[in-house]
Amino acid sequence: MAWFFTVLLLFIASFANACDRCIFQSKAAHYYEDAPTSYGGACGYGNLGLEMSQGYFAAAVPSLFREGMGCGACYQVRCKNATLCNTMGTKVTLTDKNSDNRTDFVLSKKAFTAMALKGKSQELLKTGIVDMEYKRIPCEYNKNLSIQVVEWSHKPYYLAIKLLYQGGQTDITAVYIAAQDGSGEGRYMKRNYGPIWETNNVPGGAIKLVVIVVSGYNNGRGIVIDYALPAGWKNGDIYDTGIQIKDIASEYCNPWRCGEEPWK
Ligand SMILES: *[C@@H]1O[C@H](CO)[C@@H](O)[C@H](O)[C@H]1NC(C)=O
Ligand SMILES: *[C@@H]1O[C@H](CO)[C@@H](O)[C@H](O)[C@H]1NC(C)=O
Ligand SMILES: *[C@@H]1O[C@H](CO)[C@@H](O)[C@H](O)[C@H]1NC(C)=O
């Protein structure tokens, strides 16, 4: 298991400066179309992104998108115009990348209007861009971490998997693959983009997949999800790992870096 600890240390070290608990001040815009039947998004969740977020999805700037590692992260967002907005704001799931540097987030219309005071939704939509604040929060799914074999996998040479329902406040930092029967060498899968990991060196038979999830930062701990993908894996199928992730990052931040106390 030495490979595992090496990887964990590496990835935890790279998060030492994160401060997810902090509230950040920024601006948010909204999508002009919520296309509920064909939602894409840079994370590649497709329509599952709609289901996972229940329509409360968002695109975020590269610093939050983190080359796809931020896909599936959840944020609480609230706008700051007291004549238009409520104080609770809304919760969103990151499913897309926002390359427009005027705002940190672009929210689905459903999420954007959820920030409005009663009767002010249309007025809020019309303002287009609002001052807001946000912080990362744990994702809550009534589902176990699941693995979908991506449509463009090509048995037996190439396997791509998509990780769904990543709960809690966690990052998936590595996926290790080996033959379930212990034959041959194991190897790491490569992040293709977003929540999609791939390899063109696929073991035959049932496949042992080890998903390494990091929760917490300076004192982060790893969760290892060990799952046997059946030999009969098929493109598009979704496999339940049987493990629901609920861990929440326990991190240390200097209060002066946060600026404000966390929301109640
Ligand atoms: C709040 O929104 C209203 C309507 O768009 C606008 O007139 C007002 O200036 C905004 N207030 C602040 C503090 O931005
Ligand atoms: C935002 O992007 C525009 C267009 O790409 C660029 O001209 C501008 O300098 C950027 N602004 C900031 C603050 O980075
Ligand atoms: C998660 O997996 C466990 C163990 O296999 C199972 O009992 C449970 O029903 C699953 N939970 C959901 C929400 O599917």
Side-chain angles (χ1 to χ4, degrees):
M1 289 300 271
W3 55 268
F4 159 64
F5 292 108
T6 314
V7 166
L8 260 187
L9 283 177
L10 248 167
F11 283 104
I12 289 173
S14 68
F15 288 134
N17 291 320
C19 191
D20 273 347
R21 201 186 65 197
C22 300
I23 299 172
F24 294 94
Q25 310 294 320
S26 182
K27 289 176 192 295
H30 61 83
Y31 284 94
Y32 283 92
E33 308 267 345
D34 279 354
T37 53
S38 61
Y39 175 67
C43 292
Y45 290 124
N47 289 337
L48 282 165
L50 267 182
E51 191 209 305
M52 289 201 311
S53 67
Q54 294 175 34
Y56 296 88
F57 57 84
V61 279
S63 59
L64 299 175
F65 186 76
R66 294 183 291 148
E67 291 174 345
M69 199 188 284
C71 286
C74 296
Y75 288 87
Q76 188 167 3
V77 175
R78 63 179 174 190
C79 68
K80 294 170 71 177
N81 185 322
T83 57
L84 297 178
C85 299
N86 62 48
T87 55
M88 279 313 294
T90 187
K91 295 176 181 180
V92 292
T93 303
L94 205 162
T95 60
D96 202 358
K97 181 173 164 181
N98 170 29
S99 315
D100 180 340
N101 62 14
R102 286 175 305 167
T103 69
D104 275 4
F105 282 89
V106 180
L107 307 182
S108 67
K109 272 189 188 167
K110 191 174 179 181
F112 198 82
T113 53
M115 300 190 299
L117 285 168
K118 216 161 184 253
K120 299 285 174 95
S121 304
Q122 289 312 309
E123 207 180 326
L124 183 61
L125 275 177
K126 265 192 248 143
T127 64
I129 292 183
V130 289
D131 289 326
M132 57 78 127
E133 53 192 9
Y134 67 89
K135 66 169 180 174
R136 192 171 173 192
I137 56 168
C139 300
E140 291 165 19
Y141 298 117
N142 192 22
K143 298 257 194 180
N144 294 321
L145 181 74
S146 298
I147 293 170
Q148 182 176 36
V149 175
V150 175
E151 297 292 348
W152 24 273
S153 291
H154 192 94
K155 214 169 187 172
Y157 313 104
Y158 174 81
L159 172 65
I161 59 168
K162 191 185 295 185
L163 297 167
L164 305 168
Y165 306 108
Q166 178 190 342
Q169 197 167 316
T170 54
D171 288 327
I172 289 173
T173 53
V175 181
Y176 179 81
I177 185 172
Q180 180 67 15
D181 65 10
S183 63
E185 288 278 299
R187 53 228 160 235
Y188 287 101
M189 295 182 90
K190 187 169 139 270
R191 192 191 287 277
N192 176 297
Y193 69 92
I196 298 176
W197 297 76
E198 66 178 2
T199 181
N200 49 24
N201 192 349
V202 186
I207 296 173
K208 176 188 177 70
L209 286 172
V210 182
V211 179
I212 297 169
V213 184
V214 171
S215 89
Y217 291 83
N218 288 354
N219 55 352
R221 81 177 185 92
I223 308 163
V224 177
I225 290 171
D226 199 334
Y227 177 72
L229 186 67
W233 57 269
K234 283 198 204 67
N235 293 9
D237 282 2
I238 296 178
Y239 301 88
D240 185 329
T241 65
I243 293 178
Q244 190 173 8
I245 304 176
K246 289 182 167 173
D247 287 60
I248 294 172
S250 53
E251 55 174 355
Y252 171 76
C253 310
N254 285 322
W256 56 266
R257 288 188 54 203
C258 291
E260 271 184 70
E261 284 302 303
W263 288 337
K264 299 287 178 304

